[in-house]
Amino acid sequence: AVKAMPPETTFDENTPRVSYAVERTAVDHDRTKLSAPTDRVHSNRNDSSQWDSWCNALLCIWIASSLGWLIYHPLRFRAFAAMVDRTSIAVPAIVRNQLEALRLELGIRTRVQLSVVDSLVGPAIMGILHPRLIVPRIIVEQVEVSQLRILLAHELIHVRRGDLWWSCLHVLARSCWWF
């Protein structure tokens, strides 16, 4: 016969838990009977493991989303660069000469490639290591030379100040703090 024994309360890491006493007899060794607890003690062990599971799941979601952003941005950049390559037209010599003169005047050592595109993109600067200034064809054709000079100078200032590096840092921060 099996005798019920009172529960023993044990403490593990300051968390009260109930342990159940088990007693077997020689005749009845297959059947085990647990004694019921007399006092109901709340167990935080399941709550904390459930909390840990949620934290691990959220951490995995965060890491996967961050990696997703870090993969997405270079892919979008390549797609944009391919579109610029597809829609680029011949650059007028006067615009190319103005860009080169402004680059030297502003003290920019890095060569800046000029792309005139046959689409409604820009004006913009792209590329950290090899900067590329993108100007829509409509601006090159319809804007006066003095206004075009101001526009080119504005974009070259972005190169001189290193704004593209800050933009890259912004993408990294956005990838980490996407929520």
Side-chain angles (χ1 to χ4, degrees):
V2 176
K3 290 196 287 184
M5 297 181 68
E8 299 172 13
T9 304
T10 59
F11 295 92
D12 182 16
E13 298 176 11
N14 299 326
T15 305
R17 288 186 292 173
V18 176
S19 75
Y20 297 89
V22 177
E23 184 180 331
R24 292 184 183 168
T25 61
V27 177
D28 240 0
H29 62 79
D30 303 58
R31 291 190 249 154
T32 305
K33 184 173 182 178
L34 298 175
S35 62
T38 54
D39 298 318
R40 184 153 180 93
V41 178
H42 181 66
S43 171
N44 287 333
R45 183 172 186 186
N46 286 339
D47 292 343
S48 86
S49 66
Q50 198 173 31
W51 173 253
D52 289 345
S53 296
W54 276 106
C55 287
N56 288 337
L58 290 174
L59 180 65
C60 288
I61 290 169
W62 178 77
I63 288 172
S65 298
S66 294
L67 290 174
W69 276 109
L70 287 173
I71 292 168
Y72 170 78
H73 284 288
L75 291 176
R76 291 293 301 158
F77 178 81
R78 283 185 176 208
F80 182 73
M83 186 274 304
V84 168
D85 289 339
R86 254 190 340 270
T87 60
S88 288
I89 60 172
V91 178
I94 190 165
V95 177
R96 196 173 333 121
N97 293 339
Q98 260 192 344
L99 178 70
E100 190 61 24
L102 276 169
R103 183 183 71 82
L104 295 173
E105 187 179 321
L106 293 170
I108 299 170
R109 291 185 214 137
T110 308
R111 291 254 177 222
V112 178
Q113 181 184 354
L114 179 62
S115 294
V116 176
V117 292
D118 195 19
S119 65
L120 297 176
V121 175
I125 196 91
M126 66 180 274
I128 293 175
L129 300 176
H130 305 288
R132 185 176 188 180
L133 194 137
I134 302 160
V135 182
R137 178 184 54 85
I138 196 163
I139 290 179
V140 172
E141 291 174 353
Q142 294 182 358
V143 172
E144 294 179 19
V145 175
S146 63
Q147 292 174 326
L148 187 59
R149 180 177 165 80
I150 293 169
L151 184 138
L152 295 174
H154 171 86
E155 295 302 326
L156 286 174
I157 292 294
H158 288 298
V159 174
R160 187 173 79 180
R161 289 191 325 192
D163 290 349
L164 296 172
W165 289 101
W166 288 108
S167 180
C168 186
L169 181 64
H170 174 259
V171 167
L172 289 174
R174 183 177 174 188
S175 296
C176 291
W177 293 284
W178 52 267
F179 47 90

